[in-house]
Amino acid sequence: MNTIFKGSLRGYVCEDCREFISNVDVLLYLPYKETRLPDSPANAKDAFHVVTKEEAEQRKGLLIDKKTTDINGDFEFEINERYLNSDFDIDFVCGSVPPKHPKPKREELVQFHITTLAMKSELEKQAQDQNSRWNYTIAHKWWCYIRGHFFDAWVICGHLMNCKTNKPIANATVTAMDADFLTDDTLGAATTDANGHFRIDYSAADFKKTFLSPWINVETDPNFLSFESGPDVYFKAELAGTKLIDETKADARKNVGYCLCVNLCSEIAVTRPEETFPSAWSGIGNAFSSSYGTGIHDFDVNGFAGSGKNVLFSTIRLTGQAALKSASGYPIEYRFRVSHTTDLNTAASLPEANFTKTVGVTPGLFVKSTVSKLSRIVPAPLLNEIFVESDQSDFDPEGWFDVNHAIERTLISVGLTPADLALYNVIEEDTLISLDTTTLTTEPNVPNIFNAGQIVPDANKIDMEKIAIRFEIREVINKASNDFGVIGGDGKTLNSIVINNNPIYKKLAIKELEDSTLCSPITGIIHLKYTLYHPYLSTCSLTIKKNSDTDETYINDGVIDNPVLVDQRTNASSEINNPPTMARCTYIVRLYSSTRKHNGDYGDSDGSWPEEQLFFYNG
């Protein structure tokens, strides 16, 4: 009478990422103790290893049966009763690996010895429990080697979580990139499941692409002098258009192996409406924190932002996160207030009474922006993503902003009801409120009365302006009876922020054209005259380009390229061809400049349009 032996074969890609090994042949042998190869280790019958051709030939007569695993990696053997007390050697022949690699790189199939099994005890377990099955999971180092070496099957398994709460982020798209010296390759993308888990399968062809692909493929490692064969992997992730992970090649994991196991975390909160988390004002845009410190994103003691000593201009996004409800279950409101009285950022927070202007109350301060986003948990034909934009109606008379009102107002505007919020995850868009700093600027621009080459006198220069910002947050227990609770994060203050909304004062002229007419051909030594002024002047440069050339040539006169951070660059007689000589042609001179103005997301574009001067040189 025969007895059924049930088994299952799986492989570890990562510790929490296993896969069924389907469509492979499992081989059942009598043990080969007496026929072990002379150079085999003593425990060869138990150790997982590649079966050589010699070993396979030697054991050929010991083969009892062969079965093919199903889609779940399961197989079954009928064991003849005369073998019930025997040990068995179990091998498998790998003809494919999941999920889409049907052929090995080599022509011959590869055989592996799994283990030696005491069949009697295993059959006794299965006799007692009909659902019992012998399970074998191939270790990570072996299974990844088999997948990659023999099948060119590379895989990334990972999780995407929230950095603060460690809760999984579902339905996000994670993209894996390979950092290359020439162009970065996309290895693949996947959507996270309810546990934040994702898996990306790829092959070497995906990271060996060149501009000559598919004819010529090679891994062009950005560190090409230390060339390795594996990709340098970094990640992007987004949900409903919101960037959750935005790594660059500087963050790349160098020369990864066949299997990469990663845990990614995002600062962006993706939560259910009823969930709570700590609320805080943490930054200004993407570039700066909202705190004093020595980090590259922090404000310094005097109110300059980041390592570049930037000043804030235009509309700034006051960023952070605020839950819809407090830990006690009450709705949350917050507001931002501004003071023109400032202090060093190392001093104690300024008194509340100094903050006399409030966003949403003081005219001109509030700017509409996306403050939240709703992402449908189960996708539907319409309204899978809903952007929640702040509106003046979301503020009360004291400037308290009600994000719950903003969400309910938005749901109604698209034809839904507040009850439909249960169908969505809430993505905190990072923006709490947007503030227009131009309303707070009082310094006049430099009057347009100075010619190129003239110095802007101190009387017409722009003085420094500073503000302080205070963040307040509360839980609304009963608004009708003025019953409010204070929660963590309330009163966060930045004592000193330098702001500026004045343009660069810039003038450019050619002396020889001023001495004649702007249309006259000129000869001899050419003298440039220029004036650049801004209290936070940054980079400056002069270039010249011949009409027949495509590239500009830099002019360094010892003034324009001064590396010192001064507020003015002025020259009334900058020679541009003594040497070099100039040919008979039309030329264009450009005066470039920039400031340290920044709004937390991008720098001032004032310097993007240079001052220009055309002239014809007659040789």
Side-chain angles (χ1 to χ4, degrees), residues 480-605:
S481 59
N482 290 321
D483 189 4
F484 304 105
V486 176
I487 61 176
D490 180 62
K492 169 68 180 291
T493 301
L494 194 55
N495 282 346
S496 186
I497 301 171
V498 183
I499 62 171
N500 180 275
N501 285 283
N502 303 99
I504 302 173
Y505 189 84
K506 48 189 173 183
K507 296 286 185 176
L508 174 67
I510 296 176
K511 182 179 182 300
E512 286 70 25
L513 290 181
E514 288 184 330
D515 292 343
S516 55
T517 68
L518 291 179
C519 296
S520 299
I522 52 179
T523 59
I525 304 301
I526 308 301
H527 298 85
L528 296 181
K529 302 167 63 178
Y530 59 83
T531 295
L532 280 173
Y533 165 75
H534 192 274
Y536 309 109
L537 197 61
S538 182
T539 59
C540 309
S541 63
L542 276 169
T543 67
I544 187 169
K545 186 175 81 71
K546 188 162 55 174
N547 191 48
S548 58
D549 292 341
T550 56
D551 296 327
E552 301 177 49
T553 301
Y554 283 95
I555 301 170
N556 292 324
D557 61 358
V559 176
I560 194 70
D561 57 332
N562 188 340
V564 179
L565 285 179
V566 295
D567 62 6
Q568 191 160 187
R569 304 279 201 283
T570 303
N571 198 330
S573 185
S574 178
E575 297 182 0
I576 64 174
N577 63 333
N578 186 27
T581 58
M582 297 173 63
R584 187 174 185 270
C585 194
T586 300
Y587 290 83
I588 184 169
V589 176
R590 292 191 174 107
L591 174 63
Y592 292 93
S593 57
S594 66
T595 69
R596 290 182 281 135
K597 292 190 294 184
H598 202 290
N599 74 347
D601 291 305
Y602 52 84
D604 185 11
S605 61

Side-chain angles (χ1 to χ4, degrees), residues 242-243 246 267-268 282-290 296-298 312 315-320 429-431 598-602:
T242 296
K243 289 182 180 179
D246 193 20
E267 297 286 347
I268 303 297
S282 58
I284 295 177
N286 291 314
F288 308 127
S289 76
S290 57
I296 61 173
H297 305 291
D298 297 331
L312 299 188
T315 297
I316 60 175
R317 294 188 305 114
L318 304 173
T319 57
E429 263 294 282
D430 202 32
T431 303
H598 202 290
N599 74 347
D601 291 305
Y602 52 84

Side-chain angles (χ1 to χ4, degrees), residues 68-88:
T68 302
T69 58
D70 63 15
I71 192 172
N72 295 317
D74 295 340
F75 60 88
E76 294 184 0
F77 284 106
E78 290 187 15
I79 307 299
N80 190 285
E81 61 182 4
R82 68 175 182 270
Y83 297 129
L84 291 181
N85 293 318
S86 298
D87 292 346
F88 283 89

